[in-house]
Amino acid sequence: MTTSTIESHESAHELGNSDLKLKDIIKSLPRECFEQNRRKAWTKVLLSVSMVCLGYFSLIIAPWFLLPLAWIFTGTALTGFFVIGHDCAHRSFAKRRWVNDLVGHLIMMPLIYPFHSWRIQHNYHHAHTNKLDEDNAWQPISTTLYESCGKIKQWGFKAFLRYRLWWIGSIIHCGVLHFNWSLFQKKDQASVKFSVAVVVLFAAIAFPILIATTGIWGFVKFWLLPWLVYHFWMSTFTLVHHTAPDVPFVAESKWNQAIAQLNGTVHCDYPSWVEILCHDINVHVPHHISTAIPSYNLRMAYGSIKENWQTYLHDECRFSFSLMKRITDQCHLYRADSGYQSFKDYFAGR
């Protein structure tokens, strides 16, 4: 770990002792940031549905050599479905709960993503953002955990982190956490079971029909590969939002909610077409200040946050494979006292 990384890590810990409260930041935001606009919300739905339909039309007519571009476009447009479901989960899509739940289930259904399972666990992430051993979105692997694992699991950790496999992270996360209702409190299990039943029923009907009409290749072409592109973006957004060599995960005794949301959430700019199709989910700091801010107001809120709280914000970055290489090269294991450590440095120090 470099000296600058350690200094940044220690500086963030010092910020964690600040008396700043999340309510102070929320009060500084323009009231317009929290206003729900039915026209804007449903325009987002119309845009996503139109772009997904365009994507599937392109898969039908595209010659074989253009299929990769069509898969990338369609999968990215499907990610817009998730972002709308994301608003529904935070009740910022519509004022009526039943509308949020209905749209959330319908829009996440083709993604095979159980709405209530994700909603409940994602809210836990917001309550414990970058809290060591608590945050459930992308918790770093501690050296203690790594050393306590067997050889096979250690190999799995190394393969996942060193060989650029971050893009399957959300698939593993969903499969392990979102279909197991025993992980939830009893009061939530009925809702989780319902959401799991919805996506299982969708898959049980849609997949056989797709295979019967287009064959196994049609299933791969029209569902599997766009779905993998969607998970590439899901995994990438989640990783980049809260992971950098100088972004700390802080023990509960030192954790400050306001600082965690400001300094532990990274703003990353993506190509404009990705930001449009994904409804500005990359403008993520305001969303962590208040989940009540709809996606179409995130840029307005971020402008206010930069104006009033710039000192606390992490440096912005721009998406590139060099950025992903830097994260996946350095952010391997984690020590509470010094931050991230690469496997190379870990084994060199043993």
Side-chain angles (χ1 to χ4, degrees):
M1 177 176 290
T2 64
T3 301
S4 60
T5 301
I6 294 173
E7 288 175 350
S8 297
H9 182 85
E10 291 175 346
S11 174
H13 271 281
E14 290 173 5
L15 285 174
N17 294 322
S18 168
D19 292 329
L20 181 64
K21 305 295 184 185
L22 194 60
K23 64 182 180 181
D24 298 329
I25 307 167
I26 294 173
K27 287 179 180 178
S28 73
L29 295 174
R31 292 184 63 182
E32 292 81 5
C33 295
F34 302 94
E35 292 180 357
Q36 293 183 9
N37 186 303
R38 186 181 303 174
R39 178 184 59 80
K40 289 181 180 179
W42 286 101
T43 298
K44 296 283 187 182
V45 175
L46 180 61
L47 173 64
S48 281
V49 171
S50 299
M51 292 301 99
V52 168
C53 289
L54 178 62
Y56 280 115
F57 179 71
S58 70
L59 288 174
I60 294 171
I61 66 171
W64 66 267
F65 55 86
L66 290 180
L67 281 176
L69 292 177
W71 286 322
I72 291 171
F73 179 85
T74 306
T76 307
L78 283 169
T79 310
F81 276 16
F82 171 81
V83 179
I84 292 168
H86 182 269
D87 273 10
C88 291
H90 291 304
R91 314 304 188 193
S92 61
F93 177 83
K95 294 180 180 179
R96 291 183 173 84
R97 181 180 293 256
W98 72 267
V99 176
N100 287 306
D101 287 349
L102 177 62
V103 174
H105 278 93
L106 291 176
I107 208 87
M108 285 189 169
M109 192 167 57
L111 308 175
I112 314 301
Y113 224 79
F115 174 72
H116 282 311
S117 307
W118 178 81
R119 176 183 64 81
I120 294 164
Q121 292 184 336
H122 183 66
N123 282 332
Y124 190 87
H125 158 62
H126 276 274
H128 302 280
T129 303
N130 283 46
K131 184 187 292 184
L132 194 62
D133 299 325
E134 284 290 340
D135 190 348
N136 62 353
W138 200 291
Q139 182 72 214
I141 300 166
S142 68
T143 53
T144 304
L145 173 61
Y146 178 78
E147 290 166 358
S148 68
C149 293
K151 296 294 184 183
I152 294 177
K153 200 166 186 179
Q154 286 184 350
W155 177 86
F157 282 146
K158 286 189 285 187
F160 178 74
L161 294 170
R162 294 175 73 178
Y163 299 117
R164 320 287 186 238
L165 297 178
W166 84 87
W167 54 276
I168 66 171
S170 60
I171 300 176
I172 297 171
H173 189 271
C174 180
V176 171
L177 297 180
H178 296 340
F179 287 84
N180 185 355
W181 48 80
S182 67
L183 298 175
F184 296 81
Q185 296 181 25
K186 282 191 175 181
K187 65 182 180 66
D188 296 322
Q189 288 185 2
S191 296
V192 172
K193 288 178 182 179
F194 175 77
S195 293
V196 170
V198 166
V199 296
V200 169
L201 182 62
F202 174 85
I205 295 173
F207 290 175
I209 293 175
L210 183 60
I211 293 171
T213 54
T214 64
I216 296 297
W217 169 238
F219 174 78
V220 172
K221 176 181 177 181
F222 292 111
W223 187 81
L224 180 60
L225 289 173
W227 181 77
L228 289 175
V229 172
Y230 151 68
H231 272 290
F232 169 87
W233 288 120
M234 272 286 292
S235 299
T236 300
F237 290 147
T238 306
L239 177 63
V240 174
H241 281 161
H242 301 288
T243 307
D246 59 342
V247 170
F249 275 70
V250 183
E252 185 173 7
S253 60
K254 297 182 178 180
W255 186 78
N256 176 291
Q257 188 178 24
I259 301 302
Q261 313 298 8
L262 284 174
N263 188 259
T265 307
V266 180
H267 175 93
C268 182
D269 289 319
Y270 291 79
S272 297
W273 65 276
V274 174
E275 296 184 351
I276 291 170
L277 290 178
C278 297
H279 307 306
D280 290 331
I281 192 63
N282 59 298
V283 187
H284 205 60
V285 178
H287 172 65
H288 266 268
I289 298 306
S290 174
T291 57
I293 301 173
S295 58
Y296 45 80
N297 289 336
L298 290 173
R299 290 193 180 276
M300 179 200 309
Y302 188 54
S304 174
I305 291 168
K306 288 179 70 174
E307 181 179 348
N308 294 302
W309 308 100
Q310 181 70 53
T311 305
Y312 295 94
L313 292 175
H314 187 276
D315 292 340
E316 296 182 1
C317 61
R318 181 170 293 278
F319 172 75
S320 67
F321 282 97
S322 63
L323 170 68
M324 303 313 298
K325 182 177 185 301
R326 182 168 70 93
I327 292 173
T328 55
D329 277 350
Q330 298 181 45
C331 301
H332 293 164
L333 301 177
Y334 195 84
R335 293 182 184 273
D337 59 345
S338 58
Y340 283 105
Q341 183 179 38
S342 69
F343 280 117
K344 180 180 178 181
D345 291 339
Y346 171 79
F347 288 115
R350 289 176 65 84

